[in-house]
Amino acid sequence: MDARISEMTIASSSIWTDIACFRETVHNLDQRLTSMEEHVAVLPGQEAELRSLRAKVTDMEDRSRRDNIRLLGIPEHNESSDVKTFLKNLLPELTGLEYSPPLEFQRAHRIGLLHRATPDKPQPIIACFLRHEQARQTILAAKSQGSYSLEGHEIRVAADFSRPTNEKREAFLALRPQLRNLEIKYGLFEPAACGSPTMANPGISRNQ
């Protein structure tokens, strides 16, 4: 009898030990759940802050590209090894602008790896102007004249934006047919205004 009571006492003690362990586990889980709930509660604020930071970074990147242009459609190797000199001669001919003082570039080069593009879609050229006003004049001239034709190739001059901004612009442009059908006026505007450039007669065809 005493032996059985002893066994029951040991078993009971073991059960109470297990219960204590379970209580501690439940307490720890409750603390972790409370901590997770607190983190979840602040997530909306963190998401808003992250969106704000991303917007600021995108704005800074776009501002750093304000002196840049992209030239699309120029066959590869036309520029030889001196892209700056090539553009100094090409841009006045294409745009009809009388640049004064003469064009100067901080840098100019092809984007991406050469020979990777197909002949009908060469890699773009990106150029950073030394003078912001000349970059603005070139972009405004390209907007008003549309694409250019050079040696049988369609050439386009465009502003240089960050990837997030380009994605937003492309998404908006995809809506243009619907806006036209609804007779809603629309447009994409630059954040700053610039005077009209002085035009010459370059003898280059411009496709509207």
Side-chain angles (χ1 to χ4, degrees), residues 8 36 46 60 65 68 75 108 122 128 133 147 151 158 184 198 202:
M8 292 176 63
M36 291 177 63
Q46 291 179 340
M60 291 175 63
R65 296 170 179 248
N68 294 358
C128 179
E133 181 65 19
S147 62
E151 299 178 358
I184 297 176
T198 301

Side-chain angles (χ1 to χ4, degrees), residues 67-76 78-79 83-95 99 103 105 107-112 114 117 120-129 134-135 138-139 142 146-148 150 153-161:
D67 297 337
N68 294 358
I69 64 168
R70 287 176 178 248
L71 294 103
L72 313 174
I74 297 177
E76 294 184 6
N78 273 31
E79 70 277 15
V83 182
K84 292 182 181 180
T85 299
F86 172 75
L87 294 180
K88 287 178 183 179
N89 296 325
L90 177 67
L91 285 177
E93 180 184 4
L94 279 183
T95 63
Y99 293 100
L103 283 176
F105 299 96
R107 54 190 176 276
H109 58 86
R110 290 273 183 184
I111 300 175
L114 296 179
D120 60 337
K121 193 175 181 181
Q123 298 284 14
I125 292 177
I126 186 169
C128 179
F129 286 74
Q134 291 180 337
T138 303
I139 292 171
S147 62
Y148 306 102
L150 179 66
H153 299 281
E154 183 183 31
I155 310 299
R156 290 188 175 274
V157 179
D160 184 37
F161 295 106

